[in-house]
Amino acid sequence: MVAARMNEPRNALAHFSKALVLRPDYVEAQIGIGITHFQLGRFMEAAGAYERALELFPSSATNEKREATLLGKMDRCNTAFGRRLLTEWIRRPELSLAVIEDRLDRVDIFHSAIAVRKRIRDSLSNIPDIER
C-alpha cells in the first residue's frame, strides 16, 4: 500500500489490480483498492471492493461458491423474494437500534414456534416470484 500512501492512488490501483490478476483471492489487494477508491472520492467503487474483500456475496470472477460467503451461510430462505430481501439487508445493514431489536424479537418468535415456522415456510414455498 506504499503507492496509496504516497499520494499516487492511480498507480496504487494499477498495482492492486495486477496483484488480483495473479491472486484473485488476495484480500489485502481488495482492501487496498477500496481505500484507494475512497481517497479518490469514488465511494461506490470503494464499497464494491470492500464487499468483495469481506466475501459477502459470491463472485463469478473468483468462481467463489455461494456457500463460502456470508450470504450463503445465512440464507435459509424458501423464496426468491426472501433471498433478495436478505441480500439487501446484508448489502445495506440497518442502523436503527429500534428496528434491529424489532427484527430480533420477530426472529425469536419464529425460532421458538417450530410448528408455526414450518407451516409458514411451507406456505411461502408455494408462492410464485411475483416481482419477476
Short mmCIF file of all heavy atoms in Angstrom, two decimals, residues 94-107:
data_model
loop_
_atom_site.label_atom_id
_atom_site.label_comp_id
_atom_site.label_asym_id
_atom_site.label_seq_id
_atom_site.Cartn_x
_atom_site.Cartn_y
_atom_site.Cartn_z
N GLU A 94 -29.11 -2.37 8.56
CA GLU A 94 -29.94 -1.43 9.32
C GLU A 94 -29.09 -0.76 10.39
O GLU A 94 -28.26 -1.41 11.03
CB GLU A 94 -31.10 -2.18 9.97
CG GLU A 94 -32.05 -1.31 10.74
CD GLU A 94 -32.67 -0.21 9.89
OE1 GLU A 94 -33.29 -0.52 8.87
OE2 GLU A 94 -32.51 0.97 10.28
N LEU A 95 -29.30 0.52 10.60
CA LEU A 95 -28.53 1.27 11.60
C LEU A 95 -29.36 1.63 12.82
O LEU A 95 -28.81 1.98 13.86
CB LEU A 95 -27.94 2.54 10.97
CG LEU A 95 -27.02 2.32 9.77
CD1 LEU A 95 -26.57 3.64 9.20
CD2 LEU A 95 -25.82 1.47 10.17
N SER A 96 -30.67 1.57 12.69
CA SER A 96 -31.55 1.94 13.79
C SER A 96 -31.64 0.80 14.80
O SER A 96 -32.07 -0.31 14.47
CB SER A 96 -32.95 2.26 13.25
OG SER A 96 -33.88 2.29 14.30
N LEU A 97 -31.28 1.09 16.03
CA LEU A 97 -31.32 0.08 17.08
C LEU A 97 -32.74 -0.42 17.29
O LEU A 97 -32.96 -1.62 17.49
CB LEU A 97 -30.75 0.65 18.38
CG LEU A 97 -30.66 -0.32 19.55
CD1 LEU A 97 -29.82 -1.54 19.19
CD2 LEU A 97 -30.11 0.37 20.77
N ALA A 98 -33.73 0.45 17.21
CA ALA A 98 -35.12 0.04 17.41
C ALA A 98 -35.56 -0.95 16.34
O ALA A 98 -36.22 -1.96 16.64
CB ALA A 98 -36.03 1.27 17.40
N VAL A 99 -35.19 -0.72 15.09
CA VAL A 99 -35.56 -1.62 14.00
C VAL A 99 -34.83 -2.96 14.17
O VAL A 99 -35.43 -4.02 13.99
CB VAL A 99 -35.24 -0.99 12.62
CG1 VAL A 99 -35.46 -1.99 11.50
CG2 VAL A 99 -36.08 0.26 12.41
N ILE A 100 -33.56 -2.91 14.55
CA ILE A 100 -32.79 -4.15 14.76
C ILE A 100 -33.42 -4.97 15.88
O ILE A 100 -33.60 -6.19 15.75
CB ILE A 100 -31.31 -3.82 15.07
CG1 ILE A 100 -30.64 -3.21 13.84
CG2 ILE A 100 -30.56 -5.06 15.55
CD1 ILE A 100 -29.27 -2.61 14.12
N GLU A 101 -33.77 -4.32 16.99
CA GLU A 101 -34.38 -5.04 18.11
C GLU A 101 -35.74 -5.62 17.72
O GLU A 101 -36.08 -6.74 18.13
CB GLU A 101 -34.50 -4.12 19.32
CG GLU A 101 -33.15 -3.86 19.97
CD GLU A 101 -33.21 -2.86 21.10
OE1 GLU A 101 -34.22 -2.13 21.22
OE2 GLU A 101 -32.24 -2.82 21.87
N ASP A 102 -36.52 -4.90 16.92
CA ASP A 102 -37.80 -5.40 16.44
C ASP A 102 -37.60 -6.66 15.59
O ASP A 102 -38.32 -7.66 15.75
CB ASP A 102 -38.52 -4.32 15.64
CG ASP A 102 -39.90 -4.77 15.19
OD1 ASP A 102 -40.70 -5.20 16.04
OD2 ASP A 102 -40.17 -4.69 13.96
N ARG A 103 -36.61 -6.64 14.70
CA ARG A 103 -36.32 -7.81 13.87
C ARG A 103 -35.90 -8.99 14.74
O ARG A 103 -36.32 -10.13 14.52
CB ARG A 103 -35.21 -7.50 12.87
CG ARG A 103 -35.67 -6.65 11.72
CD ARG A 103 -34.52 -6.42 10.76
NE ARG A 103 -34.89 -5.47 9.73
CZ ARG A 103 -34.02 -4.95 8.87
NH1 ARG A 103 -32.75 -5.28 8.91
NH2 ARG A 103 -34.44 -4.09 7.97
N LEU A 104 -35.06 -8.73 15.73
CA LEU A 104 -34.61 -9.81 16.62
C LEU A 104 -35.77 -10.40 17.40
O LEU A 104 -35.82 -11.62 17.62
CB LEU A 104 -33.52 -9.30 17.57
CG LEU A 104 -32.16 -9.03 16.93
CD1 LEU A 104 -31.22 -8.36 17.94
CD2 LEU A 104 -31.56 -10.31 16.39
N ASP A 105 -36.72 -9.56 17.82
CA ASP A 105 -37.91 -10.07 18.51
C ASP A 105 -38.70 -11.00 17.61
O ASP A 105 -39.17 -12.06 18.03
CB ASP A 105 -38.81 -8.91 18.98
CG ASP A 105 -38.20 -8.13 20.14
OD1 ASP A 105 -37.28 -8.66 20.79
OD2 ASP A 105 -38.65 -6.99 20.37
N ARG A 106 -38.85 -10.62 16.33
CA ARG A 106 -39.58 -11.48 15.37
C ARG A 106 -38.84 -12.79 15.14
O ARG A 106 -39.46 -13.85 15.05
CB ARG A 106 -39.80 -10.74 14.06
CG ARG A 106 -40.87 -9.67 14.19
CD ARG A 106 -41.22 -9.12 12.85
NE ARG A 106 -40.97 -7.69 12.87
CZ ARG A 106 -40.82 -6.94 11.82
NH1 ARG A 106 -40.88 -7.47 10.61
NH2 ARG A 106 -40.62 -5.66 11.92
N VAL A 107 -37.52 -12.71 15.03
CA VAL A 107 -36.73 -13.93 14.84
C VAL A 107 -36.92 -14.85 16.04
O VAL A 107 -37.10 -16.06 15.88
CB VAL A 107 -35.23 -13.59 14.64
CG1 VAL A 107 -34.36 -14.83 14.78
CG2 VAL A 107 -35.01 -12.91 13.30
#
